[in-house]
PDB file of all heavy atoms in Angstrom:
ATOM      1  N   VAL Z  32      80.532  87.735 116.692  1.00  0.00           N
ATOM      2  CA  VAL Z  32      80.137  88.110 118.042  1.00  0.00           C
ATOM      3  C   VAL Z  32      80.589  87.070 119.023  1.00  0.00           C
ATOM      4  O   VAL Z  32      81.114  87.418 120.049  1.00  0.00           O
ATOM      5  CB  VAL Z  32      78.690  88.544 118.156  1.00  0.00           C
ATOM      6  CG1 VAL Z  32      78.393  88.786 119.654  1.00  0.00           C
ATOM      7  CG2 VAL Z  32      78.379  89.827 117.363  1.00  0.00           C
ATOM      8  N   HIS Z  33      80.295  85.826 118.775  1.00  0.00           N
ATOM      9  CA  HIS Z  33      80.494  84.774 119.643  1.00  0.00           C
ATOM     10  C   HIS Z  33      81.635  83.865 118.982  1.00  0.00           C
ATOM     11  O   HIS Z  33      81.253  82.802 118.516  1.00  0.00           O
ATOM     12  CB  HIS Z  33      79.241  83.916 119.910  1.00  0.00           C
ATOM     13  CG  HIS Z  33      78.221  84.749 120.647  1.00  0.00           C
ATOM     14  ND1 HIS Z  33      78.308  85.062 121.959  1.00  0.00           N
ATOM     15  CD2 HIS Z  33      77.173  85.407 120.106  1.00  0.00           C
ATOM     16  CE1 HIS Z  33      77.236  85.855 122.317  1.00  0.00           C
ATOM     17  NE2 HIS Z  33      76.534  86.022 121.244  1.00  0.00           N
ATOM     18  N   ALA Z  34      82.791  84.253 119.010  1.00  0.00           N
ATOM     19  CA  ALA Z  34      83.936  83.406 118.439  1.00  0.00           C
ATOM     20  C   ALA Z  34      84.033  82.117 119.242  1.00  0.00           C
ATOM     21  O   ALA Z  34      83.957  82.095 120.371  1.00  0.00           O
ATOM     22  CB  ALA Z  34      85.211  84.231 118.536  1.00  0.00           C
ATOM     23  N   GLN Z  35      84.250  81.077 118.458  1.00  0.00           N
ATOM     24  CA  GLN Z  35      84.359  79.793 119.056  1.00  0.00           C
ATOM     25  C   GLN Z  35      85.844  79.722 119.675  1.00  0.00           C
ATOM     26  O   GLN Z  35      86.650  80.550 119.242  1.00  0.00           O
ATOM     27  CB  GLN Z  35      84.182  78.751 118.028  1.00  0.00           C
ATOM     28  CG  GLN Z  35      82.686  78.724 117.589  1.00  0.00           C
ATOM     29  CD  GLN Z  35      82.472  77.502 116.786  1.00  0.00           C
ATOM     30  OE1 GLN Z  35      83.231  76.527 116.711  1.00  0.00           O
ATOM     31  NE2 GLN Z  35      81.363  77.456 116.106  1.00  0.00           N
ATOM     32  N   SER Z  36      86.087  78.787 120.418  1.00  0.00           N
ATOM     33  CA  SER Z  36      87.352  78.540 120.996  1.00  0.00           C
ATOM     34  C   SER Z  36      88.402  78.365 119.906  1.00  0.00           C
ATOM     35  O   SER Z  36      88.128  78.040 118.829  1.00  0.00           O
ATOM     36  CB  SER Z  36      87.343  77.233 121.888  1.00  0.00           C
ATOM     37  OG  SER Z  36      88.647  76.895 122.272  1.00  0.00           O
ATOM     38  N   SER Z  37      89.605  78.814 120.222  1.00  0.00           N
ATOM     39  CA  SER Z  37      90.711  78.699 119.279  1.00  0.00           C
ATOM     40  C   SER Z  37      91.026  77.273 118.882  1.00  0.00           C
ATOM     41  O   SER Z  37      91.580  76.965 117.891  1.00  0.00           O
ATOM     42  CB  SER Z  37      92.008  79.424 119.686  1.00  0.00           C
ATOM     43  OG  SER Z  37      92.436  78.881 120.919  1.00  0.00           O
ATOM     44  N   VAL Z  38      90.706  76.385 119.817  1.00  0.00           N
ATOM     45  CA  VAL Z  38      90.857  74.855 119.459  1.00  0.00           C
ATOM     46  C   VAL Z  38      89.549  74.433 118.951  1.00  0.00           C
ATOM     47  O   VAL Z  38      88.521  74.479 119.639  1.00  0.00           O
ATOM     48  CB  VAL Z  38      91.220  74.210 120.754  1.00  0.00           C
ATOM     49  CG1 VAL Z  38      91.473  72.687 120.459  1.00  0.00           C
ATOM     50  CG2 VAL Z  38      92.563  74.710 121.348  1.00  0.00           C
ATOM     51  N   PRO Z  39      89.407  73.920 117.690  1.00  0.00           N
ATOM     52  CA  PRO Z  39      88.178  73.637 117.112  1.00  0.00           C
ATOM     53  C   PRO Z  39      87.425  72.483 117.747  1.00  0.00           C
ATOM     54  O   PRO Z  39      86.198  72.336 117.490  1.00  0.00           O
ATOM     55  CB  PRO Z  39      88.543  73.307 115.655  1.00  0.00           C
ATOM     56  CG  PRO Z  39      89.988  73.069 115.622  1.00  0.00           C
ATOM     57  CD  PRO Z  39      90.605  73.751 116.846  1.00  0.00           C
ATOM     58  N   ASP Z  40      88.043  71.758 118.587  1.00  0.00           N
ATOM     59  CA  ASP Z  40      87.276  70.592 119.223  1.00  0.00           C
ATOM     60  C   ASP Z  40      86.804  70.900 120.585  1.00  0.00           C
ATOM     61  O   ASP Z  40      86.363  70.026 121.338  1.00  0.00           O
ATOM     62  CB  ASP Z  40      88.160  69.336 119.225  1.00  0.00           C
ATOM     63  CG  ASP Z  40      88.422  68.756 117.874  1.00  0.00           C
ATOM     64  OD1 ASP Z  40      87.573  69.048 116.955  1.00  0.00           O
ATOM     65  OD2 ASP Z  40      89.529  68.176 117.637  1.00  0.00           O
ATOM     66  N   THR Z  41      86.996  72.100 121.039  1.00  0.00           N
ATOM     67  CA  THR Z  41      86.478  72.557 122.404  1.00  0.00           C
ATOM     68  C   THR Z  41      85.692  73.832 122.323  1.00  0.00           C
ATOM     69  O   THR Z  41      85.774  74.507 121.336  1.00  0.00           O
ATOM     70  CB  THR Z  41      87.720  72.730 123.392  1.00  0.00           C
ATOM     71  OG1 THR Z  41      88.483  73.847 122.919  1.00  0.00           O
ATOM     72  CG2 THR Z  41      88.489  71.469 123.543  1.00  0.00           C
ATOM     73  N   TYR Z  42      85.032  74.232 123.370  1.00  0.00           N
ATOM     74  CA  TYR Z  42      84.265  75.451 123.466  1.00  0.00           C
ATOM     75  C   TYR Z  42      84.405  75.999 124.831  1.00  0.00           C
ATOM     76  O   TYR Z  42      84.703  75.242 125.730  1.00  0.00           O
ATOM     77  CB  TYR Z  42      82.802  75.296 123.019  1.00  0.00           C
ATOM     78  CG  TYR Z  42      81.935  74.475 124.023  1.00  0.00           C
ATOM     79  CD1 TYR Z  42      81.246  75.187 125.065  1.00  0.00           C
ATOM     80  CD2 TYR Z  42      81.930  73.058 124.040  1.00  0.00           C
ATOM     81  CE1 TYR Z  42      80.576  74.431 126.034  1.00  0.00           C
ATOM     82  CE2 TYR Z  42      81.253  72.376 125.008  1.00  0.00           C
ATOM     83  CZ  TYR Z  42      80.538  73.094 125.966  1.00  0.00           C
ATOM     84  OH  TYR Z  42      79.832  72.429 126.916  1.00  0.00           O
ATOM     85  N   GLN Z  43      84.043  77.247 125.001  1.00  0.00           N
ATOM     86  CA  GLN Z  43      83.978  77.927 126.283  1.00  0.00           C
ATOM     87  C   GLN Z  43      82.622  78.633 126.432  1.00  0.00           C
ATOM     88  O   GLN Z  43      82.161  79.217 125.487  1.00  0.00           O
ATOM     89  CB  GLN Z  43      85.107  78.881 126.463  1.00  0.00           C
ATOM     90  CG  GLN Z  43      86.483  78.335 126.441  1.00  0.00           C
ATOM     91  CD  GLN Z  43      87.619  79.438 126.270  1.00  0.00           C
ATOM     92  OE1 GLN Z  43      87.285  80.517 126.004  1.00  0.00           O
ATOM     93  NE2 GLN Z  43      88.814  79.046 126.734  1.00  0.00           N
ATOM     94  N   LEU Z  44      82.088  78.532 127.594  1.00  0.00           N
ATOM     95  CA  LEU Z  44      80.838  79.304 127.910  1.00  0.00           C
ATOM     96  C   LEU Z  44      81.111  80.639 128.428  1.00  0.00           C
ATOM     97  O   LEU Z  44      80.351  81.597 128.406  1.00  0.00           O
ATOM     98  CB  LEU Z  44      79.901  78.526 128.743  1.00  0.00           C
ATOM     99  CG  LEU Z  44      79.194  77.405 128.190  1.00  0.00           C
ATOM    100  CD1 LEU Z  44      78.285  76.623 129.213  1.00  0.00           C
ATOM    101  CD2 LEU Z  44      78.332  77.780 126.987  1.00  0.00           C
ATOM    102  N   VAL Z  45      82.315  80.800 129.032  1.00  0.00           N
ATOM    103  CA  VAL Z  45      82.821  82.062 129.595  1.00  0.00           C
ATOM    104  C   VAL Z  45      84.099  82.382 128.977  1.00  0.00           C
ATOM    105  O   VAL Z  45      85.034  81.572 128.950  1.00  0.00           O
ATOM    106  CB  VAL Z  45      82.874  81.974 131.161  1.00  0.00           C
ATOM    107  CG1 VAL Z  45      83.429  83.251 131.701  1.00  0.00           C
ATOM    108  CG2 VAL Z  45      81.651  81.482 131.818  1.00  0.00           C
ATOM    109  N   LYS Z  46      84.211  83.678 128.466  1.00  0.00           N
ATOM    110  CA  LYS Z  46      85.496  84.034 127.806  1.00  0.00           C
ATOM    111  C   LYS Z  46      86.614  83.877 128.787  1.00  0.00           C
ATOM    112  O   LYS Z  46      86.606  84.343 129.899  1.00  0.00           O
ATOM    113  CB  LYS Z  46      85.419  85.540 127.358  1.00  0.00           C
ATOM    114  CG  LYS Z  46      86.635  85.883 126.571  1.00  0.00           C
ATOM    115  CD  LYS Z  46      86.406  87.375 125.999  1.00  0.00           C
ATOM    116  CE  LYS Z  46      87.599  87.690 125.179  1.00  0.00           C
ATOM    117  NZ  LYS Z  46      87.436  89.038 124.569  1.00  0.00           N
ATOM    118  N   GLY Z  47      87.616  83.127 128.395  1.00  0.00           N
ATOM    119  CA  GLY Z  47      88.782  82.899 129.195  1.00  0.00           C
ATOM    120  C   GLY Z  47      88.582  81.792 130.222  1.00  0.00           C
ATOM    121  O   GLY Z  47      89.449  81.555 131.084  1.00  0.00           O
ATOM    122  N   GLY Z  48      87.332  81.188 130.194  1.00  0.00           N
ATOM    123  CA  GLY Z  48      87.055  80.163 131.152  1.00  0.00           C
ATOM    124  C   GLY Z  48      87.460  78.776 130.761  1.00  0.00           C
ATOM    125  O   GLY Z  48      88.232  78.635 129.749  1.00  0.00           O
TER     126      GLY Z  48
END
Side-chain angles (χ1 to χ4, degrees):
V32 170
H33 297 282
Q35 295 190 14
S36 171
S37 61
V38 179
D40 291 333
T41 64
Y42 71 94
Q43 299 172 335
L44 286 178
V45 178
K46 187 175 180 177

